[in-house]
């Protein structure tokens, strides 16, 4: 545009108001997509829930009132609401690809949460059509950041919060949630097949996030449905709110407890030292404790077949709670048992790559030497499964903690272990050779497989460590065995190494797997596609199988069968690409294989209260028919 010198300026009409601009944008978008959009409220629940909302949200008067307290929350809701106008899976995926092209997935996470509120069918339709793209958005690694910012984002009605202050009234809390959010069975009882519950005490590798940890049970159940076909209307995500530590309780040092948007109880956790000397949550132990009351209430409200999955409890609580309740209820701990199973599945997959002619992968396990870097619930669970179910001798299983290689004196009265679970896998006798650094430990125990799951030592598998793994597996110049290296810590920021580092440091020689998604790497003209050794290959299919056959309990042998099913799902192409587990694009198929193997095993053990078929093929077909699918007609 040009102006003539000296010409008199003619003012235009007044600029449009913000409301007019918004209306115009909505009209344009609607005309492009051929529909009229509707305004969405600030996601209040269907009926008031004074008991089952988190403490601060309930005190504010409810979901809408909480969301309406700050202009920032209103603006964020408005922005995400305006972004999410999709009326089809194709529309939503186009939106998401555009958002994700910006390179930061927290906005995609926010979009998906709004999409769930508007259309559960389109939400799951997107996930099922593009699992490889969207599972890292709704779960790890993005869910870790989402939990750290959970109170800053708009609050949604999905999720039941049970407070330690509600002890003696937990059944009423669950009943209120069920009445508001669930459908009823034909007999009038509340329909729920699966509950994932956490106390937020150890969210991924991020520490204590308290009630903000609700993103984990929600994300977990999203994957139950996406991968295995669990009916999402028959699931409940739960936070047990027993307080929260101060900023020193989480790795990012966020002052969550005193944050103005913290949703949970603003009080410290009450803890004590257990008989084994570990610090545990006092509310979870003793007569009529919180966990006991919650699990009993859940079976009273939803029936004895409901699956109760522990998630992201601190290790000091996770093991004793699992030991106490696993036979009383249909219950398991995914951090311990699910991680154990997928670690075992990844090792079995690595053995397929190393020994393609081997027909007995479980039998071959007993010849491996496995070093676990870190002695938390994930690694201890994996070691236990490999030993007690997989037949790997304890003499071939090694574990580290902050003091180096874990050891115990011959009489068991001294050592570097911190609890009985660690003591189980501490080597007998203090080694004479250096055993403090990871390189020294590898040189000492000569592992064929290195598994990292500390959650607190990002970058621990540096060039020296990888080169040491190569050295101890090179028997002579003509006999080189490819070492296995798994960096399983989540989220990505906590990983022990990246795929680029693992393949680059080893010149493509290691067989690599990771807990979160890493890109393919080309070395010497060969493309290596790392497998994501993540629990998602286990827990959706396992829970779907358990719920459909109404198993009375979940023994450890079930997890080994699930691991075998994952490894047996590998194709020749997967093996050629160096994948230790199948790609996420085939997660539905793998989960169905896991479900079928679990049901078949439970029927053989006499644990299944429902028979789904006489052989694996019949069971698989029956499960295929029972899978929930989104209504996209």
């Amino acid at each position: 545009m040009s102006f003539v010198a000296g010409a008199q300026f003619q003012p235009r009409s007044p600029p449009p108001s913000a409301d007019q601009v918004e209306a115009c944008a909505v009209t344009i978008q609607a005309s492009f997509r051929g529909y009229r959009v509707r305004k969405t409220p600030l996601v209040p629940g269907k009926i008031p829930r004074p008991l089952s909302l988190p403490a601060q949200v309930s005190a504010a008067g409810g979901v809408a009132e909480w969301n309406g307290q700050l202009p920032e929350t209103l603006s964020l809701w408005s922005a995400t609401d305006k972004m999410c106008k999709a009326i089809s899976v194709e529309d939503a995926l186009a939106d998401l690809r555009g958002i994700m092209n910006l390179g930061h997935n927290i906005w995609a996470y926010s979009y998906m949460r709004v999409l769930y509120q508007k259309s559960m069918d389109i939400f799951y339709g997107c996930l099922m059509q593009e699992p490889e793209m969207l599972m890292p958005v709704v779960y790890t690694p993005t869910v870790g950041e989402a939990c750290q910012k959970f109170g800053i984002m708009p609050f949604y009605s999905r999720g039941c919060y049970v407070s330690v202050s509600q002890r003696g009234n937990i059944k009423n809390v669950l009943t209120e949630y069920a009445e508001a959010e669930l459908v009823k069975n034909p007999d009038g009882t509340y329909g729920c097949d699966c509950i994932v519950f956490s106390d937020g005490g150890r969210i991924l590798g991020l520490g204590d996030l308290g009630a903000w940890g609700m993103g984990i049970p929600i994300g977990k159940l999203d994957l139950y449905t996406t991968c295995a076909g669990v009916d999402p209307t028959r699931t409940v995500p739960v936070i047990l709110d027993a307080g929260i530590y101060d900023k020193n309780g989480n790795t990012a040092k966020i002052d969550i407890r005193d944050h103005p948007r913290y949703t949970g109880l603003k009080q410290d956790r009450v803890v004590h030292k257990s008989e084994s000397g570990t610090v545990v949550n006092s509310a979870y132990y003793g007569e009529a404790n919180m966990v006991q009351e919650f699990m009993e209430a859940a079976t009273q409200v939803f029936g004895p077949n409901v699956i109760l999955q522990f998630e992201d409890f601190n290790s000091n609580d996770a093991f004793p709670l699992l030991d106490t309740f696993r036979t009383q209820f249909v219950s398991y701990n995914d951090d311990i048992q699910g991680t154990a199973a997928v670690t075992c599945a990844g090792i079995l997959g690595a053995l397929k790559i190393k020994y393609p002619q081997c027909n007995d992968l479980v039998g071959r396990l007993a010849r491996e030497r496995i070093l676990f870097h870190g002695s938390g619930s994930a690694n201890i669970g994996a070691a236990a499964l490999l030993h007690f179910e997989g037949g790997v001798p304890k003499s071939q299983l090694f574990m580290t903690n902050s003091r180096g290689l874990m050891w115990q004196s011959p009489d068991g009265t001294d050592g570097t272990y911190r609890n009985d679970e660690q003591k189980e896998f501490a080597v007998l006798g203090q080694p004479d050779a250096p055993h403090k650094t990871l390189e020294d430990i590898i040189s000492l125990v000569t592992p064929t497989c290195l598994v990292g799951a500390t959650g607190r030592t990002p970058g621990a598998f540096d060039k020296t460590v990888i080169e040491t793994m190569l050295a101890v597996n090179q028997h002579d110049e003509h006999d080189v065995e490819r070492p296995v290296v798994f960096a399983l810590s989540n989220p990505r920021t906590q990983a022990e190494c990246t795929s680029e580092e693992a393949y680059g440091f080893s010149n493509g020689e290691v067989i690599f797997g990771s807990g979160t998604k890493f890109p393919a790497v080309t070395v010497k003209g060969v493309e290596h596609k790392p497998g994501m050794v993540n629990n998602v290959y286990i827990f959706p299919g396992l829970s779907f199988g358990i719920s459909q056959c109404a198993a009375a309990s979940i023994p450890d042998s079930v997890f080994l069968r699930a691991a075998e099913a994952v490894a047996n799902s590998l194709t020749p192409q997967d093996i050629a690409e160096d994948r230790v587990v199948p790609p996420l694009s085939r997660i539905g198929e793998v989960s169905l294989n896991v479900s079928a193997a679990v049901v078949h095993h439970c029927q053989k053990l006499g644990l299944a209260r429902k028979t789904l078929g006489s052989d694996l093929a019949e069971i698989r077909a029956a499960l295929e028919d029972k899978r929930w699918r989104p209504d996209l007609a």
Side-chain angles (χ1 to χ4, degrees):
M1 178 182 291
S2 62
F3 294 93
V4 177
Q8 187 172 357
F9 178 73
Q10 297 294 322
R12 297 183 179 181
S13 58
S17 68
D19 287 343
Q20 289 172 319
V21 171
E22 179 184 346
C24 180
V26 166
T27 301
I28 291 171
Q29 186 179 35
S31 66
F32 273 122
R33 288 184 173 166
Y35 73 103
R36 288 285 174 182
V37 297
R38 61 178 176 81
K39 284 287 184 183
T40 304
L42 287 177
V43 292
K46 298 172 187 174
I47 62 174
R49 284 173 42 200
L51 297 178
S52 58
L53 291 173
Q56 306 309 317
V57 177
S58 183
V63 176
E65 290 78 7
W66 173 264
N67 284 335
Q69 284 182 338
L70 292 179
E72 301 95 306
T73 309
L74 290 170
S75 296
L76 186 56
W77 168 257
S78 178
T80 50
D81 180 48
K82 289 170 188 174
M83 281 195 298
C84 186
K85 301 298 183 184
I87 60 166
S88 70
V89 169
E90 291 71 24
D91 286 344
L93 288 174
D95 288 347
L96 285 159
R97 288 188 180 100
I99 296 166
M100 294 172 71
N101 279 341
L102 296 174
H104 193 72
N105 285 346
I106 195 67
W107 277 104
Y109 179 92
S110 297
Y111 179 100
M112 290 294 280
R113 294 271 68 86
V114 176
L115 183 60
Y116 182 94
Q117 290 291 132
K118 292 186 173 186
S119 173
M120 182 188 297
D121 292 298
I122 296 177
F123 174 87
Y124 286 114
C126 288
L127 276 164
M128 290 177 179
Q129 186 166 316
E130 292 289 351
E132 201 157 11
M133 179 178 95
L134 292 177
M135 281 168 53
V137 171
V138 300
Y139 202 59
T140 181
T142 311
V143 73
E145 180 182 357
C147 286
Q148 290 175 319
K149 300 174 179 176
F150 207 75
I152 301 169
M153 296 187 287
F155 186 87
Y156 303 96
S157 59
R158 186 183 181 195
C160 179
Y161 295 79
V162 180
S163 162
V164 68
S165 62
Q166 294 169 318
R167 287 171 66 175
N169 196 38
I170 293 177
K171 182 179 178 181
N172 288 333
V173 177
L174 295 179
T175 301
E176 178 194 83
Y177 183 88
E179 187 66 30
E181 305 293 338
L182 300 182
V183 296
K184 287 189 176 182
N185 296 316
D187 62 1
T189 59
Y190 298 110
C192 179
D193 296 324
C194 307
I195 294 174
V196 175
F197 68 103
S198 175
D199 71 344
R202 196 228 58 182
I203 297 297
L204 302 173
L206 304 175
D208 188 6
L209 305 186
W212 279 6
M214 176 57 90
I216 293 293
I218 287 174
K220 211 85 174 182
L221 288 170
D222 284 343
L223 300 190
Y224 269 50
T225 299
T226 301
C227 304
V230 172
D231 186 342
T233 67
R234 298 178 61 85
T235 66
V236 180
V238 173
I239 282 288
L240 300 185
D241 187 355
I244 181 173
Y245 290 127
D246 64 18
K247 63 181 181 180
N248 294 312
N250 67 83
T251 56
K253 307 298 181 187
I254 304 169
D255 191 3
I256 297 174
R257 190 172 66 200
D258 295 326
H259 195 287
R261 299 298 287 173
Y262 181 57
T263 51
L265 289 175
K266 296 196 171 190
Q267 65 186 47
D268 202 358
R269 293 179 181 271
V270 177
V271 298
H272 68 272
K273 275 200 170 184
S274 68
E275 291 182 1
S276 61
T278 59
V279 176
V280 297
N281 282 271
S282 300
Y284 306 160
Y285 303 92
E287 190 175 347
N289 67 74
M290 183 183 188
V291 177
Q292 178 88 38
E293 184 185 348
F294 165 71
M295 298 180 85
E296 288 178 351
T299 55
Q300 290 165 7
V301 174
F302 303 118
N305 294 338
V306 65
I307 297 173
L308 296 163
Q309 185 209 307
F310 287 92
E311 183 67 27
D312 280 357
F313 281 72
N314 186 282
S315 294
N316 291 347
D317 291 311
F319 283 103
L321 291 176
L322 178 64
D323 288 343
T324 299
F325 296 115
R326 63 182 300 175
T327 57
Q328 296 182 40
F329 304 93
V330 184
S331 182
Y332 72 99
N333 184 307
D334 186 54
D335 304 303
I336 298 172
Q337 296 162 289
T339 303
V342 80
T343 301
C344 188
I347 294 172
L348 290 172
L351 293 180
K352 269 199 163 188
I353 295 171
K354 291 168 67 172
Y355 311 108
Q357 306 306 317
C358 180
N359 294 319
D360 182 14
L361 294 176
V362 173
R364 186 63 179 75
L365 270 177
R367 297 166 61 184
E368 299 301 302
R369 297 173 63 82
I370 303 165
L371 172 60
F372 294 94
H373 184 47
S375 51
S377 58
N379 276 347
I380 291 176
L385 185 65
L386 287 165
H387 173 63
F388 293 109
E389 299 296 332
V392 181
K394 283 186 185 178
S395 59
Q396 292 167 213
L397 298 170
F398 311 92
M399 201 165 289
T400 74
N401 60 17
S402 59
R403 299 166 68 183
L405 179 66
M406 282 201 317
W407 61 271
Q408 60 173 309
S409 60
D411 63 1
T413 60
D414 190 20
T416 57
Y417 56 88
R418 289 189 170 87
N419 52 47
D420 290 340
E421 291 79 24
Q422 291 184 357
K423 184 178 180 180
E424 182 82 39
F425 295 100
V427 299
L428 284 176
Q430 182 175 3
D432 295 326
H435 57 278
K436 302 295 184 185
T437 70
L438 191 51
E439 307 92 80
D440 285 340
I441 296 168
I442 293 170
S443 297
L444 177 64
V445 305
T446 63
T448 57
C449 181
L450 173 63
V451 178
T454 69
R456 297 183 178 183
T457 57
F461 296 172
D462 58 19
K463 191 171 189 290
T464 302
V465 167
I466 298 297
E467 288 177 343
T468 307
M469 281 294 294
L470 289 171
V472 300
N473 283 280
Q474 182 167 349
H475 309 300
D476 58 54
E477 61 178 328
H478 303 294
D479 184 12
V480 180
E481 185 177 346
R482 293 184 70 187
V484 179
V485 175
F486 290 168
L488 302 186
S489 289
N490 282 316
R492 182 177 300 172
T493 54
Q494 300 301 115
E496 288 78 12
C497 68
T498 66
S499 57
E500 186 175 1
E501 290 166 342
Y503 294 124
F505 294 156
S506 69
N507 208 19
E509 288 300 316
V510 302
I511 298 172
F512 178 69
S514 58
T516 194
K517 185 179 178 182
F518 279 111
V521 176
T522 299
V523 180
K524 296 189 296 186
V526 177
E527 187 178 43
H528 302 266
K529 295 183 177 180
M532 191 176 80
V533 187
N534 189 282
N535 308 27
V536 71
Y537 286 96
I538 300 295
F539 66 80
L542 184 140
S543 291
F544 183 61
I546 292 295
S547 69
Q548 293 305 310
C549 75
S553 63
I554 312 175
D556 283 335
S557 59
V558 166
F559 292 90
L560 186 61
R561 299 289 89 75
E564 285 185 276
V566 174
N568 288 332
S569 299
L570 287 166
T571 66
Q573 181 179 346
D574 295 333
I575 293 170
E577 292 173 345
D578 243 11
R579 296 184 188 271
V580 296
V581 292
L584 278 178
S585 58
R586 289 176 40 228
I587 189 65
E589 170 199 336
V590 176
S591 295
L592 185 58
N593 292 341
V594 169
S595 297
V598 164
V599 172
H600 187 249
H601 188 62
C602 286
Q603 289 184 180
K604 286 175 66 176
L605 294 180
L607 294 173
R609 289 177 279 210
K610 295 180 182 177
T611 300
L612 300 187
S614 59
D615 57 29
L616 202 57
E618 283 188 10
I619 291 168
R620 196 178 192 280
L623 289 167
E624 177 69 48
D625 289 341
K626 292 175 179 291
R627 296 177 105 175
W628 181 90
R629 293 172 176 83
D631 181 4
L632 299 171

